[in-house]
Amino acid sequence: MAAARVRSGGRPTLEEVAARAGVGRGTASRVINGSPRVSDATRQAVEAAVAELGYVPNRAARALAGNRTDAIALVVPEPETRFFAEPYFSAIVRGVGAALADTEMQLLLTLVGNDRERRRLAQYLTAHRVDGVLLVAVHADDPLPELLEQLGMPCVISGARHAAETLPSVDSDNFEGARAAVEHLVSRGRRRVATITGRLEVYGAQRRLDGYRAAVSAAGLAPDERLIAPADFTEEGGAAAMRDLLARRPDLDAVFVASDVMAAGARQVLREADRRIPEDVALVGFDDSVVARHMHPALTSVRQPIEEMGRRMAQLLLDEIAGRTPGDERPSVVLPTELVVRDSS
């Protein structure tokens, strides 16, 4: 019998697809799973049989057979308050979602804001309930990357944790972005350029501070630690740091802020101190988020391609899961930044 008859009321099976196409079950499976090891004629025959029979692959059975879950976790080691306040995270999620749109992968978003949530996530990952993990905004001392390496679970992080990073990572060029921002301020005649940093246990924040220092040195300006104020990437942190800077160096004439959200806090403090922007103090942020465009005056900011970062992270992880990345190769992707000049500088 050359063709199989679909059982009345039943769901078409892989065996029936194979029989309809005139091939073996294994060949039909290879076509359905996208294997290149079949001829074009065979692929067309199987695809035609799938369409005729209305066959839908049993994803659960496929996952079980391949020890796969068809799910990945996007882990953000931050509390909900920061996740929803910071445009960076939503842009990463959009990029990851775009990369997964044409796949069968499900995305699990997990926020880890305290030790209890971290322990619960560790138990979940140890049970191998996902095929891989995307880690966003990882701190240098976060134990999760080491746990994932011990479990042998594919993982990609947004930004290296340090200069000797061993995990696949995707980041923007934080150093060059910061350097360009400060060079711009100097080119506008500013000579007492301050900076508000992010949390320096985050390598990207360190690199932005390094870029600031390099530009100050290249401009021949005297380095002054009183012009450097640490903060935590929040609006409140940016405001507190701006108050400290004004107390230490009331004559400052420019501020490079390591995120747009912190720049919003800094702007409010400058207004309260009757400092005009940009006449008295020029202001530059980092991210070029919706915050920058809606501030008044509109904020000059370093644009990093955040959605593209999310897409590239997801693509690297899919390659890791599929075994397309050699075991001794750990790709590190650094995307260029761009200074977007607006009214604040």
Tab-separated table of all heavy atoms in Angstrom, residues 283-324:
chain	number	residue	atom	x	y	z
A	283	LEU	N	25.036	68.543	29.784
A	283	LEU	CA	24.683	67.224	30.314
A	283	LEU	C	24.623	66.207	29.184
A	283	LEU	O	24.001	66.450	28.149
A	283	LEU	CB	23.326	67.312	31.017
A	283	LEU	CG	22.871	66.145	31.893
A	283	LEU	CD1	23.798	65.973	33.105
A	283	LEU	CD2	21.432	66.368	32.365
A	284	VAL	N	25.285	65.056	29.387
A	284	VAL	CA	25.264	63.965	28.402
A	284	VAL	C	24.949	62.664	29.135
A	284	VAL	O	25.496	62.403	30.214
A	284	VAL	CB	26.610	63.826	27.667
A	284	VAL	CG1	26.601	62.607	26.734
A	284	VAL	CG2	26.925	65.086	26.879
A	285	GLY	N	24.074	61.846	28.557
A	285	GLY	CA	23.722	60.556	29.143
A	285	GLY	C	24.284	59.396	28.340
A	285	GLY	O	25.125	59.574	27.447
A	286	PHE	N	23.780	58.213	28.644
A	286	PHE	CA	24.223	56.999	27.944
A	286	PHE	C	23.026	56.064	27.834
A	286	PHE	O	22.330	55.811	28.820
A	286	PHE	CB	25.334	56.311	28.752
A	286	PHE	CG	26.207	55.383	27.943
A	286	PHE	CD1	27.515	55.718	27.631
A	286	PHE	CD2	25.724	54.163	27.484
A	286	PHE	CE1	28.340	54.875	26.900
A	286	PHE	CE2	26.518	53.309	26.747
A	286	PHE	CZ	27.838	53.661	26.455
A	287	ASP	N	22.777	55.566	26.636
A	287	ASP	CA	21.724	54.597	26.267
A	287	ASP	C	20.925	55.096	25.084
A	287	ASP	O	20.484	54.317	24.265
A	287	ASP	CB	20.745	54.263	27.400
A	287	ASP	CG	21.339	53.383	28.468
A	287	ASP	OD1	22.312	52.648	28.168
A	287	ASP	OD2	20.868	53.432	29.620
A	288	ASP	N	20.671	56.437	25.034
A	288	ASP	CA	19.760	57.019	24.057
A	288	ASP	C	18.410	56.332	24.119
A	288	ASP	O	17.872	55.861	23.115
A	288	ASP	CB	20.324	56.972	22.638
A	288	ASP	CG	19.489	57.824	21.676
A	288	ASP	OD1	19.027	58.886	22.108
A	288	ASP	OD2	19.288	57.415	20.523
A	289	SER	N	17.874	56.267	25.310
A	289	SER	CA	16.569	55.650	25.544
A	289	SER	C	15.462	56.675	25.328
A	289	SER	O	15.715	57.848	25.021
A	289	SER	CB	16.504	55.118	26.974
A	289	SER	OG	16.570	56.203	27.889
A	290	VAL	N	14.222	56.255	25.507
A	290	VAL	CA	13.083	57.167	25.386
A	290	VAL	C	13.196	58.292	26.401
A	290	VAL	O	12.717	59.411	26.168
A	290	VAL	CB	11.767	56.378	25.560
A	290	VAL	CG1	11.650	55.802	26.970
A	290	VAL	CG2	10.559	57.243	25.240
A	291	VAL	N	13.873	58.051	27.525
A	291	VAL	CA	14.083	59.087	28.530
A	291	VAL	C	14.826	60.272	27.924
A	291	VAL	O	14.477	61.437	28.152
A	291	VAL	CB	14.874	58.512	29.729
A	291	VAL	CG1	15.255	59.611	30.716
A	291	VAL	CG2	14.073	57.429	30.429
A	292	ALA	N	15.868	60.002	27.141
A	292	ALA	CA	16.679	61.070	26.542
A	292	ALA	C	15.845	61.937	25.609
A	292	ALA	O	15.952	63.170	25.618
A	292	ALA	CB	17.860	60.463	25.793
A	293	ARG	N	15.024	61.313	24.806
A	293	ARG	CA	14.250	62.058	23.811
A	293	ARG	C	13.145	62.901	24.434
A	293	ARG	O	12.731	63.914	23.876
A	293	ARG	CB	13.676	61.096	22.779
A	293	ARG	CG	14.755	60.362	21.995
A	293	ARG	CD	14.182	59.551	20.856
A	293	ARG	NE	13.424	58.391	21.296
A	293	ARG	CZ	13.968	57.225	21.629
A	293	ARG	NH1	15.290	57.091	21.598
A	293	ARG	NH2	13.225	56.210	22.005
A	294	HIS	N	12.643	62.500	25.599
A	294	HIS	CA	11.514	63.193	26.223
A	294	HIS	C	11.921	64.171	27.308
A	294	HIS	O	11.072	64.833	27.893
A	294	HIS	CB	10.531	62.167	26.793
A	294	HIS	CG	9.807	61.408	25.719
A	294	HIS	ND1	8.970	60.339	25.975
A	294	HIS	CD2	9.790	61.569	24.375
A	294	HIS	CE1	8.487	59.871	24.843
A	294	HIS	NE2	8.961	60.604	23.856
A	295	MET	N	13.219	64.259	27.611
A	295	MET	CA	13.672	65.241	28.593
A	295	MET	C	13.617	66.642	27.994
A	295	MET	O	13.591	66.820	26.780
A	295	MET	CB	15.102	64.915	29.045
A	295	MET	CG	15.174	63.830	30.096
A	295	MET	SD	16.882	63.353	30.528
A	295	MET	CE	17.520	64.911	31.149
A	296	HIS	N	13.617	67.654	28.860
A	296	HIS	CA	13.673	69.034	28.396
A	296	HIS	C	14.743	69.775	29.186
A	296	HIS	O	14.646	69.879	30.407
A	296	HIS	CB	12.323	69.732	28.586
A	296	HIS	CG	12.330	71.141	28.076
A	296	HIS	ND1	12.329	71.449	26.732
A	296	HIS	CD2	12.376	72.331	28.736
A	296	HIS	CE1	12.358	72.762	26.593
A	296	HIS	NE2	12.382	73.318	27.796
A	297	PRO	N	15.787	70.261	28.504
A	297	PRO	CA	16.031	70.084	27.065
A	297	PRO	C	16.341	68.637	26.721
A	297	PRO	O	16.769	67.870	27.581
A	297	PRO	CB	17.239	70.984	26.813
A	297	PRO	CG	17.953	71.023	28.124
A	297	PRO	CD	16.881	70.990	29.167
A	298	ALA	N	16.107	68.283	25.447
A	298	ALA	CA	16.376	66.913	25.001
A	298	ALA	C	17.835	66.558	25.286
A	298	ALA	O	18.739	67.373	25.085
A	298	ALA	CB	16.070	66.778	23.520
A	299	LEU	N	18.037	65.336	25.755
A	299	LEU	CA	19.334	64.920	26.274
A	299	LEU	C	20.262	64.380	25.182
A	299	LEU	O	19.905	63.449	24.452
A	299	LEU	CB	19.139	63.839	27.339
A	299	LEU	CG	20.380	63.295	28.042
A	299	LEU	CD1	21.017	64.358	28.917
A	299	LEU	CD2	20.027	62.053	28.870
A	300	THR	N	21.463	64.958	25.089
A	300	THR	CA	22.518	64.333	24.286
A	300	THR	C	22.886	63.017	24.958
A	300	THR	O	23.048	62.956	26.179
A	300	THR	CB	23.758	65.246	24.229
A	300	THR	OG1	23.419	66.440	23.531
A	300	THR	CG2	24.913	64.564	23.518
A	301	SER	N	23.006	61.952	24.173
A	301	SER	CA	23.221	60.642	24.784
A	301	SER	C	23.991	59.721	23.842
A	301	SER	O	23.959	59.896	22.625
A	301	SER	CB	21.876	59.999	25.140
A	301	SER	OG	22.046	58.785	25.844
A	302	VAL	N	24.677	58.767	24.430
A	302	VAL	CA	25.396	57.749	23.673
A	302	VAL	C	24.422	56.624	23.343
A	302	VAL	O	23.888	55.979	24.244
A	302	VAL	CB	26.595	57.198	24.469
A	302	VAL	CG1	27.294	56.091	23.674
A	302	VAL	CG2	27.572	58.316	24.810
A	303	ARG	N	24.178	56.417	22.069
A	303	ARG	CA	23.240	55.363	21.648
A	303	ARG	C	23.960	54.024	21.605
A	303	ARG	O	24.976	53.869	20.936
A	303	ARG	CB	22.662	55.680	20.276
A	303	ARG	CG	21.753	54.576	19.714
A	303	ARG	CD	21.215	54.976	18.365
A	303	ARG	NE	20.336	56.136	18.485
A	303	ARG	CZ	19.976	56.914	17.451
A	303	ARG	NH1	20.448	56.662	16.238
A	303	ARG	NH2	19.167	57.929	17.648
A	304	GLN	N	23.438	53.060	22.345
A	304	GLN	CA	23.915	51.688	22.191
A	304	GLN	C	22.779	50.871	21.598
A	304	GLN	O	21.618	51.055	21.954
A	304	GLN	CB	24.411	51.107	23.511
A	304	GLN	CG	23.450	51.144	24.678
A	304	GLN	CD	24.014	50.421	25.883
A	304	GLN	OE1	24.935	49.607	25.767
A	304	GLN	NE2	23.472	50.691	27.051
A	305	PRO	N	23.080	49.957	20.667
A	305	PRO	CA	22.038	49.211	19.952
A	305	PRO	C	21.476	48.083	20.822
A	305	PRO	O	21.799	46.907	20.634
A	305	PRO	CB	22.785	48.675	18.728
A	305	PRO	CG	24.199	48.500	19.210
A	305	PRO	CD	24.440	49.621	20.196
A	306	ILE	N	20.637	48.436	21.767
A	306	ILE	CA	20.222	47.484	22.797
A	306	ILE	C	19.393	46.342	22.212
A	306	ILE	O	19.607	45.176	22.543
A	306	ILE	CB	19.449	48.202	23.919
A	306	ILE	CG1	20.304	49.339	24.504
A	306	ILE	CG2	19.077	47.214	25.025
A	306	ILE	CD1	19.576	50.191	25.524
A	307	GLU	N	18.438	46.662	21.334
A	307	GLU	CA	17.635	45.580	20.740
A	307	GLU	C	18.516	44.636	19.944
A	307	GLU	O	18.334	43.408	19.999
A	307	GLU	CB	16.524	46.151	19.870
A	307	GLU	CG	15.375	46.740	20.667
A	307	GLU	CD	14.140	46.976	19.805
A	307	GLU	OE1	13.854	46.142	18.920
A	307	GLU	OE2	13.470	47.993	20.029
A	308	GLU	N	19.474	45.189	19.205
A	308	GLU	CA	20.394	44.336	18.447
A	308	GLU	C	21.221	43.470	19.387
A	308	GLU	O	21.514	42.308	19.079
A	308	GLU	CB	21.299	45.194	17.576
A	308	GLU	CG	22.343	44.410	16.779
A	308	GLU	CD	21.732	43.433	15.788
A	308	GLU	OE1	20.533	43.555	15.447
A	308	GLU	OE2	22.463	42.524	15.341
A	309	MET	N	21.589	44.009	20.534
A	309	MET	CA	22.305	43.213	21.530
A	309	MET	C	21.459	42.013	21.953
A	309	MET	O	21.952	40.881	22.043
A	309	MET	CB	22.665	44.068	22.743
A	309	MET	CG	23.759	45.089	22.475
A	309	MET	SD	23.852	46.390	23.741
A	309	MET	CE	24.170	45.391	25.212
A	310	GLY	N	20.161	42.254	22.199
A	310	GLY	CA	19.276	41.158	22.575
A	310	GLY	C	19.173	40.109	21.482
A	310	GLY	O	19.197	38.902	21.746
A	311	ARG	N	19.067	40.564	20.218
A	311	ARG	CA	19.000	39.615	19.093
A	311	ARG	C	20.273	38.784	18.994
A	311	ARG	O	20.211	37.561	18.832
A	311	ARG	CB	18.758	40.365	17.785
A	311	ARG	CG	17.333	40.794	17.542
A	311	ARG	CD	17.117	41.268	16.125
A	311	ARG	NE	17.751	42.554	15.893
A	311	ARG	CZ	17.154	43.732	16.094
A	311	ARG	NH1	15.919	43.765	16.540
A	311	ARG	NH2	17.792	44.851	15.835
A	312	ARG	N	21.417	39.451	19.094
A	312	ARG	CA	22.677	38.726	18.955
A	312	ARG	C	22.866	37.746	20.108
A	312	ARG	O	23.405	36.645	19.925
A	312	ARG	CB	23.837	39.722	18.902
A	312	ARG	CG	23.816	40.615	17.682
A	312	ARG	CD	24.124	39.846	16.393
A	312	ARG	NE	25.526	39.505	16.293
A	312	ARG	CZ	26.455	40.300	15.776
A	312	ARG	NH1	26.123	41.499	15.312
A	312	ARG	NH2	27.708	39.905	15.696
A	313	MET	N	22.467	38.126	21.306
A	313	MET	CA	22.546	37.195	22.444
A	313	MET	C	21.747	35.930	22.174
A	313	MET	O	22.228	34.816	22.377
A	313	MET	CB	22.026	37.864	23.719
A	313	MET	CG	22.926	38.913	24.332
A	313	MET	SD	22.175	39.651	25.801
A	313	MET	CE	22.170	38.223	26.927
A	314	ALA	N	20.501	36.121	21.707
A	314	ALA	CA	19.649	34.961	21.441
A	314	ALA	C	20.219	34.097	20.329
A	314	ALA	O	20.191	32.857	20.405
A	314	ALA	CB	18.235	35.426	21.091
A	315	GLN	N	20.757	34.720	19.287
A	315	GLN	CA	21.337	33.955	18.184
A	315	GLN	C	22.547	33.146	18.642
A	315	GLN	O	22.711	31.972	18.264
A	315	GLN	CB	21.720	34.909	17.055
A	315	GLN	CG	20.520	35.493	16.323
A	315	GLN	CD	20.850	36.734	15.511
A	315	GLN	OE1	22.002	37.182	15.477
A	315	GLN	NE2	19.857	37.309	14.866
A	316	LEU	N	23.403	33.760	19.462
A	316	LEU	CA	24.559	33.026	19.986
A	316	LEU	C	24.111	31.841	20.833
A	316	LEU	O	24.700	30.757	20.766
A	316	LEU	CB	25.442	33.949	20.827
A	316	LEU	CG	26.334	34.950	20.098
A	316	LEU	CD1	27.161	35.737	21.099
A	316	LEU	CD2	27.253	34.248	19.100
A	317	LEU	N	23.070	32.067	21.641
A	317	LEU	CA	22.603	30.980	22.506
A	317	LEU	C	22.010	29.842	21.684
A	317	LEU	O	22.251	28.660	21.984
A	317	LEU	CB	21.573	31.502	23.510
A	317	LEU	CG	21.099	30.479	24.540
A	317	LEU	CD1	22.267	29.994	25.405
A	317	LEU	CD2	20.003	31.049	25.434
A	318	LEU	N	21.250	30.165	20.653
A	318	LEU	CA	20.696	29.112	19.795
A	318	LEU	C	21.818	28.308	19.148
A	318	LEU	O	21.709	27.080	19.009
A	318	LEU	CB	19.788	29.722	18.727
A	318	LEU	CG	18.480	30.335	19.227
A	318	LEU	CD1	17.756	31.045	18.095
A	318	LEU	CD2	17.584	29.291	19.875
A	319	ASP	N	22.898	28.987	18.749
A	319	ASP	CA	24.054	28.278	18.186
A	319	ASP	C	24.685	27.348	19.228
A	319	ASP	O	25.069	26.216	18.915
A	319	ASP	CB	25.098	29.277	17.692
A	319	ASP	CG	24.692	29.957	16.396
A	319	ASP	OD1	23.757	29.460	15.740
A	319	ASP	OD2	25.294	30.985	16.052
A	320	GLU	N	24.806	27.830	20.461
A	320	GLU	CA	25.376	27.003	21.531
A	320	GLU	C	24.514	25.767	21.773
A	320	GLU	O	25.018	24.651	21.916
A	320	GLU	CB	25.473	27.826	22.827
A	320	GLU	CG	26.502	28.930	22.811
A	320	GLU	CD	27.870	28.431	23.241
A	320	GLU	OE1	27.935	27.628	24.186
A	320	GLU	OE2	28.859	28.846	22.627
A	321	ILE	N	23.204	25.965	21.839
A	321	ILE	CA	22.286	24.856	22.103
A	321	ILE	C	22.344	23.822	20.981
A	321	ILE	O	22.313	22.608	21.229
A	321	ILE	CB	20.847	25.389	22.279
A	321	ILE	CG1	20.736	26.199	23.578
A	321	ILE	CG2	19.831	24.240	22.286
A	321	ILE	CD1	19.437	26.963	23.707
A	322	ALA	N	22.447	24.302	19.747
A	322	ALA	CA	22.479	23.404	18.587
A	322	ALA	C	23.849	22.774	18.373
A	322	ALA	O	24.014	21.953	17.474
A	322	ALA	CB	22.045	24.162	17.340
A	323	GLY	N	24.825	23.179	19.189
A	323	GLY	CA	26.162	22.612	19.050
A	323	GLY	C	26.925	23.151	17.864
A	323	GLY	O	27.853	22.516	17.377
A	324	ARG	N	26.529	24.363	17.390
A	324	ARG	CA	27.207	24.931	16.224
A	324	ARG	C	28.447	25.739	16.608
A	324	ARG	O	29.165	26.213	15.744
A	324	ARG	CB	26.233	25.819	15.441
A	324	ARG	CG	25.130	25.032	14.734
A	324	ARG	CD	24.373	25.909	13.772
A	324	ARG	NE	23.554	26.896	14.451
A	324	ARG	CZ	22.265	26.731	14.720
A	324	ARG	NH1	21.669	25.594	14.391
A	324	ARG	NH2	21.576	27.668	15.318
